[in-house]
DNA sequence: ATTGAAAAATCTTCCCC
DNA sequence: GGGGAAGATTTTTCAAT
């Protein structure tokens, strides 16, 4: 599952616009539609392309507030970590969650409507979770950049 | 531009799968294709749906390392901030960038191949940027959760 | 890998409820 | 505002070069 230059070009285009028709995509990567479609299907089957999604505007949905929350657990046993990871993912507000090095804790980003919603999330959802020791919130005043398109290497091993 | 229950359902579906055909989408939200398409177009025109993208697998592209970098600037004047924001967004590795409260600095997430790539990014790109005072990196050992679908209110004002 | 044509599915429009 | 059907466009598939 190595990618050549054309695959990378296809990925770049689809990461920018997943609604491209195969005909238009083929035109942009200088291929005819048939082989282009074969490549796209291959990328999907291989899992390089995971899925297609619509991106919604947080502001339009009244979700203007992004908050980063650092969470420390009481213990860092494998079970305690796995348990936390399962339960944190159940909350819709949690857009991202990372196990971090250093303090051996988690960093999550939540998207909420306002401070009230944040307060409810922390007090009603997060604090009561067993194993959670320490919570520290940092507010994002502004989302300067948010993109889903991964950086693509200029060159990759030949196909 | 207020959303009713059906709009929310449409958004929920398209945030999960942006490649849904209008026919299938209509079926899922219990609508016939015609009014469904009207609503989707309206959501797009209003900007509630910003765009459609393909999500690629970081691992498959050799981008397994997520690093959060806190950046403090020497000054926090409006010009200094605007300048930094413009230039930080020029780097493909920077997936997200937030102006944070508190220390009046920035938090960015970069996706890189390995520590070597991180080192190059920090030493060659970030450190040399004028106005940058302090850089602190935190490594993500594991991406526990990553989603692009925003949480949708169970109830919103009637349309 | 490309071209071309056929088949399938889709989107769009119009009219009625 | 929603539903149904018909037309037109587009996409997708499959053949051969």
């Amino acid at each position: 599952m190595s990618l050549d230059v054309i695959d990378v070009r296809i990925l770049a285009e689809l990461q920018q616009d997943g609604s491209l028709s195969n005909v238009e995509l083929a035109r942009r990567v200088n291929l005819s539609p048939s082989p282009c479609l074969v490549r796209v299907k291959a990328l999907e089957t291989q899992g390089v392309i995971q899925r297609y999604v619509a991106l919604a505007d947080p502001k339009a949905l009244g979700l203007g507030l992004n908050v980063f929350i650092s969470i420390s657990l009481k213990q860092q046993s494998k079970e305690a970590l796995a348990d936390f990871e399962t339960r944190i993912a159940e909350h819709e507000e949690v857009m991202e969650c990372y196990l971090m090095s250093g303090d051996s804790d988690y960093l999550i980003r939540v998207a909420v409507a306002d401070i009230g919603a944040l307060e409810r999330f922390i007090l009603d959802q997060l604090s009561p979770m067993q194993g959670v020791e320490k919570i520290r919130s940092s507010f994002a005043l502004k989302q300067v950049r948010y993109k889903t398109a991964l950086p693509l290497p200029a060159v990759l091993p030949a196909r």
Side-chain angles (χ1 to χ4, degrees), chain A:
Chain A
M1 63 168 237
S2 57
L3 310 175
D4 68 4
V5 187
I6 298 182
D7 288 324
V8 170
R9 252 184 269 161
I10 290 176
L11 276 174
E13 292 292 340
L14 290 181
Q15 283 196 126
Q16 291 300 327
D17 185 355
S19 68
L20 280 181
S21 75
N22 183 53
V23 172
E24 173 61 16
L25 177 62
R27 195 190 61 74
R28 296 194 187 185
V29 302
N30 290 319
L31 225 60
S32 60
S34 305
C36 184
L37 189 59
V38 171
R39 283 170 179 268
V40 172
K41 295 296 180 194
L43 290 171
E44 292 170 0
T45 302
Q46 291 167 178
V48 179
I49 292 178
Q50 291 185 319
R51 54 182 186 150
Y52 299 84
V53 299
L55 298 183
D57 178 18
K59 294 265 168 52
L61 295 175
L63 295 169
L65 186 56
N66 281 294
V67 182
F68 286 87
I69 308 179
S70 285
I71 301 166
S72 299
L73 302 187
K74 289 170 188 155
Q75 2 168 1
Q76 283 75 38
S77 69
K78 192 182 289 187
E79 296 76 22
L81 297 179
D83 187 51
F84 174 81
E85 293 178 9
T86 301
R87 286 175 304 144
I88 194 70
E90 290 168 1
H91 299 284
E92 282 302 306
E93 301 94 333
V94 179
M95 299 298 294
E96 305 177 58
C97 175
Y98 300 87
L99 173 63
M100 301 299 292
S101 69
D103 314 320
S104 239
D105 61 358
Y106 290 92
L107 179 64
I108 70 176
R109 174 172 68 89
V110 298
V112 289
D114 49 41
I115 299 198
L118 175 68
E119 180 187 359
R120 285 191 296 280
F121 173 73
I122 293 181
L123 295 183
D124 299 345
Q125 311 294 332
L126 203 52
S127 288
M129 282 178 64
Q130 64 167 313
V132 169
E133 184 174 70
K134 184 180 158 199
I135 297 172
R136 199 192 60 183
S137 306
S138 301
F139 291 78
L141 301 176
K142 178 184 178 184
Q143 190 172 50
V144 176
R145 173 173 230 200
Y146 175 77
K147 73 186 186 82
T148 57
L150 295 166
L152 297 175
V155 183
L156 275 174
R159 189 196 182 85

